[in-house]
Amino acid sequence: MITLPFRLDMIDGKGEPEFIDFRKAGPEDIDEVVALQERIIDALPDKDLYQDSTREEYLTQLTEDVCFIAECDGKTAGFSVMVPNDPDNPRNYGKYLDYSREQLAKTVSLDLTMVDPEFRGRGIQRIFNKLRIGTAIGMGAAEGLCTISPDNPYSYRNFLVLNFEIIEQREMYGGKQRYILRKVF
């Protein structure tokens, strides 16, 4: 399991050293998370690839969920959320699959990952996924679920390499098509 805070040492496109720092996120990060969402939405050619959230929804996540943030040179490079294995949480994706209360208590939802367009291609989403999976296992979860647009091959591949499998395709988030993927830990 990766211990936080964690620093990723890389070489940028100009051959210069680059450091991306990963840490837990909290309510104090709300302004940066909202600004990151705005940058991502502005850069999207197809707005259906992403389900935006309100400031209040992000504040709930930063308060109640397990959140991670990646930073590079003082700029927010990415943000990721995992909904804990709580059977009473309406955001547990197992509810879409009619899981029993017992199964919901063993299921986490890998809810969201945002990576700033400037920092894509550096493996940030994969690191977030590994952080979330390691945290989930540490919390006693037996499986993880996530949702991905069928038109987002980048995110889809990042979950396939971690042995997630598509278990269903359905309309979600106000009529947007999504895959539900699962990984048994």
Side-chain angles (χ1 to χ4, degrees), residues 80-135:
S80 192
V81 178
M82 182 186 75
V83 178
N85 45 324
D86 175 0
D88 296 318
N89 191 322
R91 293 177 293 121
N92 185 320
Y93 292 152
K95 292 187 183 261
Y96 290 109
L97 303 172
D98 296 322
Y99 278 12
S100 68
R101 184 170 177 76
E102 180 179 300
Q103 197 169 5
L104 288 169
K106 296 179 182 178
T107 302
V108 297
S109 300
L110 283 70
D111 185 40
L112 163 75
T113 294
M114 300 188 292
V115 177
D116 188 298
E118 179 182 338
F119 296 99
R120 290 190 182 142
R122 291 171 171 86
I124 292 172
Q125 184 179 31
R126 285 188 187 175
I127 291 172
F128 279 144
N129 287 344
K130 290 177 183 181
L131 283 168
R132 295 185 299 177
I133 290 168
T135 301

Side-chain angles (χ1 to χ4, degrees), residues 23-37 53-71 76 78-84 89 91 111-112 114 128:
R23 63 173 174 82
K24 287 234 176 161
E28 67 279 4
D29 297 304
I30 186 67
D31 292 334
E32 287 304 314
V33 170
V34 171
L36 174 62
Q37 176 180 260
S53 296
T54 65
R55 182 180 186 85
E56 292 75 26
E57 288 168 328
Y58 282 130
L59 197 51
T60 297
Q61 290 176 319
L62 288 161
T63 304
E64 298 177 6
D65 299 336
V66 179
C67 300
F68 302 99
I69 202 159
E71 299 166 315
T76 300
F79 174 70
S80 192
V81 178
M82 182 186 75
V83 178
N89 191 322
R91 293 177 293 121
D111 185 40
L112 163 75
M114 300 188 292
F128 279 144

